[in-house]
Amino acid sequence: DLYNFRFIRPDTKVYGIIGKPVGHSKSPLLFNAAFKSVGLNAVYVHFLVDDVKKFFDTYSTIDWAGCSCTIPHKEAALRCMNEIDPIAKKIGAINNIVRRPDGTLTAFNTDYIGAISAIEDGLRGLNGTHPAVGSPLAGKLFVVLGAGGAGKSLAYGAAQKGARVVVANRTFERAKELADKVGGQAMTLAEVDNFHPEEGMVLANTTSVGMKPKIDEAPISKQSLKHYCLVFDAIYTPKETRLLREARETGAVIVYGTEMLIRQGFEQYKNFTGLPAPEDLFRQLMEKHA
Ligand code: ATR
């Protein structure tokens, strides 16, 4: 009973995930288990949605409480919102929508929050390399590989924390466009191997290089990894990419893509319920159903 149907009543709060395809999403499993664990009168379902505008119009009179938003609706849904988190607006994509009782829709992008918080916690584990107060990303040289949706999330998120952002992309024009928007520097992916103006930089891969099935590829050379104190990879299949393995062997702190995935879920739960997420439960379920 994935949806705990036995417990649904007229006043049960309804959440869901909108997407296409959506049936494979594990979010209902995680959220329903989480609701149940704290006795919340709420359900989280799959919404197979073709046209997001139609979805929001159709459901405007129904008392639903919020939804997650996945492929291919992260950009189109943005245009249906009443309020948008400022960074999500700049990124141009949302994945989390809260509906107030008066029907107002407020949207967030929890992907960038998940990734950035995981990276910040990784840096906090490195004593003495960051200021005692504020974000450990402040003042750091932060190299983002890739300039697609995930690249934007990381670049805007890091810039907001005061990092000095460098965007490196296979197609230079896309790097330049994003770098200009975040007040950063642009280069091609090929140039990154020779870019090490200082030590202790942070690296975030958002390209698909190293993703299953091409697991023997890495976006930058192992040799150049010694200039980085922390390396994050947005890829989570495989869990440890060649990039992360080589970074680990080189002595950098590594942050897995799965960590971004799970933390973005914590943020969604917080936004939906106003409560902290049952983090251990989420982690256990993710591991069990990986
Ligand atoms: P996402 O939303 O996951 O970021 P995307 O918008 O399709 O996905 O972006 C994919 C990123 O991976 C882009 O930065 C792309 O570089 P280009 O802008 O040059 O296309 C990068 N990418 C994909 N395949 C690549 C490859 N074989 N080598 C280097 N970069 C690659």
Side-chain angles (χ1 to χ4, degrees), residues 108-159:
F108 305 90
N109 180 318
T110 69
D111 288 333
Y112 86 85
I113 299 172
I116 294 293
S117 81
I119 292 168
E120 284 181 324
D121 281 353
L123 286 173
R124 286 193 186 101
L126 281 169
N127 284 332
T129 63
H130 53 81
V133 288
S135 172
L137 278 171
K140 281 268 176 207
L141 201 52
F142 191 103
V143 180
V144 181
L145 309 180
K152 278 187 197 162
S153 294
L154 268 297
Y156 278 110

Side-chain angles (χ1 to χ4, degrees), residues 71 75 145-152 168-172 174-175 189 205-211 214 217 219 234:
I71 288 166
E75 287 98 34
L145 309 180
K152 278 187 197 162
N169 196 45
R170 178 178 59 181
T171 314
F172 178 75
R174 286 185 91 191
L189 202 50
N205 176 48
T206 73
T207 73
S208 48
V209 180
M211 195 187 292
K214 296 188 170 178
E217 294 181 4

Side-chain angles (χ1 to χ4, degrees), residues 221-238:
S221 73
K222 184 172 183 180
Q223 178 64 17
S224 55
L225 289 175
K226 63 173 185 276
H227 306 288
Y228 295 89
C229 68
L230 182 145
V231 178
F232 163 76
D233 201 331
I235 293 172
Y236 51 87
T237 49

